[in-house]
């Protein structure tokens, strides 16, 4: 694909960044140098909640808003760092009094309410483990995750409790207490009113000594490729959250920051809760679901400086006929970052045209706990590339040999497994109840991500596809992302998912599922036009041979196109785990 480069040559912009020179920072970076960034606990050790909230509440940022909550119906609630410290202390006292101990799993199942964020900090203060569930899950995925993770407590709302938990309470005998965020009175001796407990709780809490290796969060993956895995993280992960907050998001104390991800997914905790607070920024939380007008309105009215969102949301904005800068004042916006799935070059360019700044793509996984490869504000952007490894991270493209050894591929442009040198602070410490799978994720001294990529001659990494999604056609290996990105450039195309369909002659045939922008008719003529369009860009061997129009593509609730489902449906095979499918 032809390569474009968006230069970063605005000196005034560059001068104010936390990282002004990527190469030098990368070369000199040492994780141990960060020890001095963190205060540590008076009782010893390191606790995420202390570093994110209490440290600031005890200092000059005490009266600064930590959280601005924007309710669905237009309400606004603001919590300063001092208030967050008190509220989370109360929460920690509530669960401590109820007998919750270090290491015990407390699940959260809530829409984006302030209590979810207070609860997160309170759970960590008590050294219990937070396990977030996405509030739109149905009863079955909730039950399954709670059973697998040995849930001892649950923070939820009345509505979610009644609809999704109460009918299956018998299947959760180990669940000791359920705290209802919005119940004025206890339901029974097990299902309690959080407000009444909070009223009685002390607003001071001394965090007991926390080992940086103590478990902090249990996160389930998105389930894009199969059954979601429970991923174990520890308090030490704050090191990665801090560095990425500084270098990727470029967070400063006076920033207003908005991450659109829900805390049911790892982006919504690492970057929707922890990273902005580590940097003393003001974190915007929007309770409502996607709505373009509302989103642009938030960016404008709250003078958001740093915005972290996802390709699926950007594609939805691109689909609409809104020219944001004509209608909204987004002059405070400084950095836009995106994660979750590949960001098509088209979307990066849309940012340059419509927001007057590129959208920066970055890559990571639930397993990595934080951003690993990124486009930094100080670095030129090559649209379509994931960028370069975070300072402190060694990333490589490798080949796994039959004898179990691993060879690094140093040749530019050659595809292989995207791998990371183990040992970074937020690296997952295990898959829940699956030691075997955890061990198998490492080979020859590398963590093998399961994604395929290549590196170009300038050291930029390019996503090719998930190892499971790679298409073998007429002796070529085709990454779906390349085909999808080419089709995305056609004005009619809103979204694409590409799969390999078994074919007796050529092994697999490239098939594209396309959803169209409004105003375009899904007819044979357009199919032929799209195939021709892709052929011109990609060549006949790589371009799709079949196109099927669909109104909407199947996506995970975290917004990723589920190619495995497109494929299963195409082939009439069982759909497998669909617990995370957006319905
Ligand atoms: P599961 O592991 O259950 O199949 P998942 O891999 O989608 O689900 P996550 O951990 O939420 O669960 O997602 C990480 C994956 O998302 C990455 O391995 C990668 O495939 C994809 N991804 C994330 N960011 C990017 C990006 N910037 N470019 C390309 N792919 C990305
Ligand atoms: Mg995965």
């Amino acid at each position: 694909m032809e390569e474009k480069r968006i230069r970063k040559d605005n000196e005034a912009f560059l001068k104010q960044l936390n990282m002004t020179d990527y190469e030098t920072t990368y070369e000199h970076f040492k994780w141990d140098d960060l020890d001095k960034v963190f205060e540590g606990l008076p009782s010893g050790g390191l606790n995420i909640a202390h570093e994110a909230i209490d440290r600031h509440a005890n200092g000059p940022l005490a009266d600064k808003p930590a959280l601005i909550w924007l309710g669905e119906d237009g309400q606004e609630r603001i919590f300063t760092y001092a208030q967050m410290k008190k509220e989370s202390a109360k929460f920690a006292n509530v669960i401590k009094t109820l007998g919750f101990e270090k290491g015990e799993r407390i699940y959260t199942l809530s829409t984006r309410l302030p209590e979810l964020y207070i609860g997160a900090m309170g759970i960590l203060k008590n050294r219990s483990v937070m396990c977030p569930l996405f509030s739109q899950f149905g009863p079955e995925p909730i039950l399954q995750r709670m059973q697998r993770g040995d849930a001892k407590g649950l923070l939820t709302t009345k509505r979610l409790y009644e609809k999704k938990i109460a009918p299956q309470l018998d299947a959760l005998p180990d669940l000791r207490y359920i705290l209802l965020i919005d119940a004025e009175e206890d339901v029974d001796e097990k299902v309690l009113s959080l407000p009444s407990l909070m009223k009685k709780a002390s607003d001071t809490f001394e965090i007991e000594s926390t080992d940086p290796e103590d478990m902090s969060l249990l996160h389930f993956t998105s389930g894009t490729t199969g059954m979601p895995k429970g991923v174990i993280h520890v308090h030490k992960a704050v090191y990665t959250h801090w560095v990425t907050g500084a270098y990727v998001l470029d967070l400063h104390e006076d920033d207003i920051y908005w991450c659109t991800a829900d805390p049911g997914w790892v982006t919504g905790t690492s970057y929707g809760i922890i990273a902005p607070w580590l940097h003393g920024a003001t974190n915007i939380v929007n309770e409502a679901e996607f709505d373009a007008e509302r989103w642009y309105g938030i960016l404008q009215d709250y003078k958001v400086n740093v915005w972290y969102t996802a390709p699926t949301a950007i594609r939805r904005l691109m689909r609409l006929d809104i020219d944001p800068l004509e209608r909204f004042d987004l002059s405070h916006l400084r950095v836009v970052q995106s994660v979750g799935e590949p960001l098509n070059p088209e979307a990066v360019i849309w940012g340059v045209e419509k927001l007057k700044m590129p959208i920066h793509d970055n890559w990571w996984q639930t397993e990595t706990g934080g951003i690993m490869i990124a486009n930094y504000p100080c670095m030129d952007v090559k649209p379509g590339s994931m960028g370069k490894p975070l300072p402190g991270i060694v990333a490589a493209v490798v080949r796994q040999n039959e004898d179990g050894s691993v060879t690094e591929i140093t040749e530019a442009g050659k595809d292989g497994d995207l791998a990371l040198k183990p040992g970074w602070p937020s690296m997952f410490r295990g898959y829940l109840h699956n030691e075997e799978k955890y061990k198998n994720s490492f080979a020859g001294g590398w963590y093998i991500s399961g994604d395929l990529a290549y590196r170009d001659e300038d050291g930029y990494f390019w996503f090719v596809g998930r190892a499971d999604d790679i298409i073998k056609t007429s002796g070529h290996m085709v990454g779906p992302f390349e085909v999808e990105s080419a089709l995305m450039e056609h004005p009619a195309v809103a979204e694409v998912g590409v799969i390999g369909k078994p074919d007796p002659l050529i092994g697999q045939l490239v098939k594209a599922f396309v959803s169209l922008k409004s105003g375009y008719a899904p007819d044979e003529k357009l199919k032929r036009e799209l195939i021709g369009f892709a052929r011109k860009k990609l060549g006949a061997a790589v371009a799709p041979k079949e196109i099927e129009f669909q109104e909407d593509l199947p996506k995970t609730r975290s917004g990723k196109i589920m190619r495995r489902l497109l494929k299963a449906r195409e082939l009439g095979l069982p759909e497998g785990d669909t617990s995370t499918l957006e319905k």
Side-chain angles (χ1 to χ4, degrees), residues 517-534:
K517 289 190 187 145
S518 56
Y520 289 92
D523 55 21
E524 286 303 315
K525 184 166 160 277
L526 185 56
K527 263 189 202 172
R528 282 196 302 277
E529 185 180 321
L530 288 174
I531 292 179
F533 181 82

Side-chain angles (χ1 to χ4, degrees), residues 145-404:
R145 284 165 180 74
M146 289 180 75
Q147 288 177 332
R148 274 168 67 197
D150 198 13
K152 294 287 199 284
L154 174 70
L155 173 66
T156 187
T157 62
K158 245 171 24 189
R159 187 181 64 84
L160 291 169
Y161 166 70
E162 280 160 13
K163 225 171 111 187
K164 302 183 181 182
I165 303 292
Q168 45 189 2
L169 210 47
D170 289 349
L172 294 163
D174 296 331
L175 187 64
R176 293 203 299 270
Y177 290 106
I178 296 169
L179 304 177
L180 299 181
I181 289 171
D182 51 352
E184 288 314 315
E185 282 169 18
D186 296 349
V187 174
D188 54 36
E189 67 280 3
K190 186 168 172 165
V191 184
L192 309 177
S193 150
L194 180 68
S196 53
L197 289 166
M198 290 285 273
K199 244 180 257 154
K200 287 179 271 177
S202 154
D203 64 8
T204 57
F205 184 89
E206 199 186 323
I207 304 176
E208 284 182 49
S209 168
T210 310
D211 190 310
E213 288 299 315
D214 281 346
M215 191 168 164
S216 55
L217 278 112
L218 172 68
H219 251 298
F220 286 90
T221 58
S222 294
T224 315
T225 54
M227 184 63 114
K229 296 152 282 217
V231 172
I232 293 167
H233 285 292
V234 299
H235 282 269
K236 179 92 192 231
V238 276
Y239 277 59
T240 311
H241 300 148
W242 190 89
V243 177
T244 48
Y247 295 163
V248 183
L249 300 168
D250 189 49
L251 288 171
H252 292 71
E253 249 169 48
D254 44 6
D255 276 335
I256 312 287
Y257 166 83
W258 180 27
C259 169
T260 60
D262 187 274
W265 312 111
V266 72
T267 308
T269 52
S270 293
Y271 297 100
I273 307 181
I274 302 168
W277 286 344
L278 288 175
H279 286 275
T282 296
N283 194 18
I284 301 273
V285 171
N286 174 28
E287 186 193 22
E289 292 310 313
F290 178 87
D291 175 288
E293 299 271 339
R294 181 178 166 106
W295 277 32
Y296 286 132
I298 292 174
L299 292 172
Q300 166 183 276
D301 298 346
Y302 289 88
K303 301 185 167 52
V304 172
N305 310 114
V306 182
W307 189 33
Y308 197 10
T309 187
T312 171
I314 295 162
R315 286 195 298 262
R316 284 166 97 167
L317 293 174
M318 289 167 69
R319 236 170 154 152
L320 302 168
D321 264 340
I322 304 179
D323 213 331
L325 295 190
E326 266 174 25
R327 299 212 5 234
F328 299 90
D329 174 8
L330 305 184
S331 55
H332 291 87
L333 204 54
R334 194 174 73 244
V335 179
V336 184
Q337 288 279 356
S338 158
V339 74
E341 34 164 25
L343 185 68
N344 312 94
E346 198 58 15
V348 181
I349 305 294
W350 176 86
V352 174
E353 282 168 5
K354 302 288 183 189
L355 304 172
K356 299 292 169 230
M357 66 188 70
I359 295 167
H360 296 80
D361 186 20
N362 57 76
W363 175 92
W364 58 293
Q365 310 177 298
T366 310
E367 288 86 342
T368 69
I371 300 165
M372 296 282 109
I373 296 180
N375 285 284
Y376 306 91
C378 66
M379 203 173 80
D380 287 357
V381 173
K382 295 191 188 185
S385 158
M386 306 187 286
K388 295 190 182 186
L390 180 77
I393 296 297
V394 179
V397 178
V398 305
R399 183 177 53 241
Q400 299 185 74
N401 306 311
E402 304 231 319
D403 63 359

